[in-house]
């Protein structure tokens, strides 16, 4: 039975586990929004299916699907993928699903952040977003897990943790005026410590250039292990991503984590740069919130990968660099299954594999 808990997770002994810790499942949501996914989301649905199939090699997958798309999704997805009917506004389960916590007694609880489409009426990508804002509570209800209702706007893609007290985020995202105006770093850090039991926040200035989420950290970097991170690297001074990657690298190299360790920082090459083609843009319905015009720069990043149960599922984005990244990930994750999935269709919608997945920790 699920119920809302009025106390604070840190006081109750709950912490957010790292992504590389064991998982019971991964949740996704079925794309169908025609002003975000081209040609009625049919190409995106095929890409989401391939991601779900890849993950299901090591971890059970649940796909959230609207009533109108249920039969279509069930037909496309293999039998091992669980399909659950649920109303959503779009398909970014990383940001709309719960952030899960565990304690040392084998109990799991979810954090339900407030979701406002990455900026609310200030610069959110769509309105309304109330269906997405209800997803986290529904997932916890299905598991029978209790919920902490957090008092701030945040998304799962805005944070990474190492499971040992360190949280990574960007100032561009958490301090953006469309999320929590009036709250400064100190107030946000206290809330993150209260709700995730972290001890130190590493603030990176900016995320990936043209990221519609205003700089989600999960598109810039990933935590490989405590004290070890991988990040999107750009060494071309003429590229718009150059300064952001350079400053993030310098900061990560100069900082220490919650345990006082200097960080080991691995550089993942930036794909492309990649751009939305005129042909791709022609298949997307026009809307007020999302820029889907031919020639627009895409916020492509190989750091946007999922770690799940001794497997890494990463996006294939650039034939000139895909094999290099696969080899790098194999070196960074010895003994892991490294699975690449063609992910351009996901990128066209504004994110990638980490953005469309949310893990459920094992207890």
């Amino acid at each position: 039975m699920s119920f809302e808990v009025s106390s604070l997770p840190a006081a109750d002994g709950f912490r957010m586990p790292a992504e590389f810790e064991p998982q019971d499942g991964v949740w996704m949501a079925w794309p169908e929004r025609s002003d975000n996914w081209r040609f009625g989301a049919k190409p995106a649905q095929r890409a989401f299916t391939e991601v779900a199939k890849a993950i299901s090699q090591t971890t059970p997958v649940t796909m959230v699907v609207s009533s109108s798309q249920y039969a279509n999704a069930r037909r496309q997805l293999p039998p091992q993928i669980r399909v659950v009917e649920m109303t959503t506004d779009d398909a970014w389960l990383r940001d709309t699903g719960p952030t899960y916590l565990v304690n040392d007694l084998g109990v799991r609880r979810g954090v339900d952040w407030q979701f406002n489409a990455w900026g609310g009426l200030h610069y959110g990508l769509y309105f309304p977003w109330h269906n997405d804002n209800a997803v986290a509570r529904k997932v916890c209800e299905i598991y029978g897990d209790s919920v902490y209702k957090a008092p701030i706007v945040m998304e799962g893609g805005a944070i990474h943790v190492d499971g040992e007290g360190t949280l990574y985020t960007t100032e561009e995202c958490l301090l953006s005026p469309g999320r929590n105006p009036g709250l400064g770093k100190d107030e946000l850090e206290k809330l993150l410590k209260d709700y995730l039991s972290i001890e130190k926040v590493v603030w990176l200035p900016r995320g990936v250039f043209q990221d519609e989420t205003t700089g989600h950290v999960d598109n810039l970097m990933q935590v490989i292990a405590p004290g070890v991170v991988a990040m999107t690297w750009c060494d071309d001074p003429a590229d718009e991503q150059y300064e952001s990657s350079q400053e993030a690298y310098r900061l990560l190299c100069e900082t220490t984590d919650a345990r006082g360790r200097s960080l080991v920082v691995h550089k993942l090459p930036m794909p492309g740069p990649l751009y939305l083609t005129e042909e791709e843009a022609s298949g997307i319905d026009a809307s007020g919130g999302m820029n889907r015009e031919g020639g627009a720069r895409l916020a492509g990043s190989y750091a946007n990968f999922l770690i799940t149960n001794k497997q890494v599922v990463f996006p294939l984005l650039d034939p000139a660099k895909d094999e290099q990244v696969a080899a790098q990930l194999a070196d960074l994750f010895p003994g892991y299954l490294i699975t690449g999935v063609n992910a351009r269709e996901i990128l066209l919608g504004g994110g990638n594999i980490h953005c469309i997945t949310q893990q459920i920790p094992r207890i």
Side-chain angles (χ1 to χ4, degrees):
M1 182 177 66
S2 173
F3 63 94
E4 186 170 321
V5 184
S6 59
S7 51
L8 293 173
D12 295 341
F14 284 84
R15 67 174 182 93
M16 181 180 175
E19 198 169 307
F20 45 78
E21 296 184 48
Q23 299 171 14
D24 269 349
V26 168
W27 283 59
M28 301 175 62
W30 192 247
E32 60 177 288
R33 193 181 180 105
S34 61
D35 61 350
N36 192 36
W37 310 101
R38 66 188 186 123
F39 302 132
K42 297 309 178 189
Q45 289 169 6
R46 290 191 288 270
F48 276 54
T49 296
E50 291 306 309
V51 172
K53 287 165 61 177
I55 297 168
S56 70
Q57 296 175 91
T58 60
T59 308
V61 177
T62 299
M63 185 72 72
V64 167
V65 182
S66 70
S67 58
S68 63
Q69 281 286 315
Y70 187 92
N72 176 43
R74 183 67 281 172
R75 179 182 60 81
Q76 293 195 52
L77 293 163
Q80 72 267 26
I81 308 299
R82 178 172 64 165
V83 179
V84 172
E85 184 179 319
M86 189 182 295
T87 305
T88 63
D89 297 304
D90 206 355
W92 306 103
L93 239 291
R94 174 64 52 182
D95 296 340
T96 61
T99 295
Y100 259 103
L101 315 173
V102 296
N103 69 7
D104 294 335
L105 302 176
V107 179
R108 183 174 60 204
R109 290 178 179 174
V111 177
D112 179 9
W113 309 105
Q114 297 175 33
F115 178 79
N116 71 353
W118 311 278
L121 297 179
H122 190 78
Y123 49 69
L125 297 186
Y126 49 76
F127 179 85
W129 53 74
H130 63 282
N131 292 315
D132 278 348
N133 195 35
V135 168
R137 179 65 62 95
K138 292 178 180 179
V139 173
C140 292
E141 188 77 29
I142 287 171
Y143 280 106
D145 294 329
S146 299
V147 180
Y148 295 98
K149 181 61 180 175
I152 58 172
V153 174
M154 204 176 75
E155 311 89 32
I159 55 173
H160 271 314
V161 299
D162 67 354
E164 296 188 0
T166 311
L167 180 143
Y168 300 86
T169 190
T170 70
E171 296 176 0
E172 179 186 7
C173 177
L174 283 200
L175 299 180
S176 62
R179 285 183 173 84
N180 301 290
L183 289 183
K185 273 188 181 181
D186 291 344
E187 295 150 301
L188 286 168
E189 282 197 16
K190 184 178 189 309
L191 286 164
L192 292 170
K193 291 174 180 178
D194 285 342
Y195 279 87
L196 301 174
S197 291
I198 51 95
E199 301 162 26
K200 179 174 182 175
V201 179
V202 176
W203 292 90
L204 300 175
R206 294 177 284 177
V208 172
F209 179 69
Q210 293 289 74
D211 189 332
E212 293 178 325
T213 66
T214 56
H216 267 188
V217 76
D218 74 341
N219 206 33
L220 177 68
M221 58 159 284
Q222 174 63 286
V223 181
I224 306 298
V228 185
V229 301
M231 62 159 289
T232 294
W233 180 246
C234 175
D235 55 11
D236 178 5
D239 192 282
E240 293 96 335
Q241 178 58 29
Y242 178 77
E243 288 187 7
S244 178
S245 287
Q246 296 287 327
E247 65 188 1
Y249 181 75
R250 286 195 299 270
L251 192 149
L252 289 168
C253 289
E254 292 168 0
T255 195
T256 55
D257 66 12
R259 296 289 178 264
R261 292 173 291 228
S262 296
L263 299 177
V264 177
V265 186
H266 296 279
K267 300 173 180 177
L268 295 174
M270 184 185 71
L274 306 174
Y275 299 89
L276 181 68
T277 69
E278 295 290 347
E279 188 274 334
E280 289 166 337
S282 70
I284 303 170
D285 291 352
S287 72
M290 292 175 273
N291 176 24
R292 298 292 182 266
E293 296 180 359
R297 174 78 175 259
L298 299 169
S301 169
Y302 286 111
N304 204 306
F305 61 83
L306 174 72
I307 308 170
T308 178
N309 291 338
K310 297 292 184 179
Q311 181 187 18
V312 170
V313 183
F314 78 100
L316 299 174
L317 296 169
D318 183 349
K321 297 173 183 173
D322 289 343
E323 290 187 9
Q324 174 190 343
V325 172
Q328 275 187 270
L329 292 173
D331 288 339
L332 292 174
F333 293 93
Y336 277 58
L337 175 64
I338 309 297
T339 310
V341 179
N342 288 313
R344 183 173 176 88
E345 293 295 338
I346 306 171
L347 178 59
L348 297 182
N352 227 290
I353 289 173
H354 195 263
C355 304
I356 65 171
T357 55
Q358 179 61 269
Q359 71 275 0
I360 311 297
R362 185 178 303 162
I363 52 174

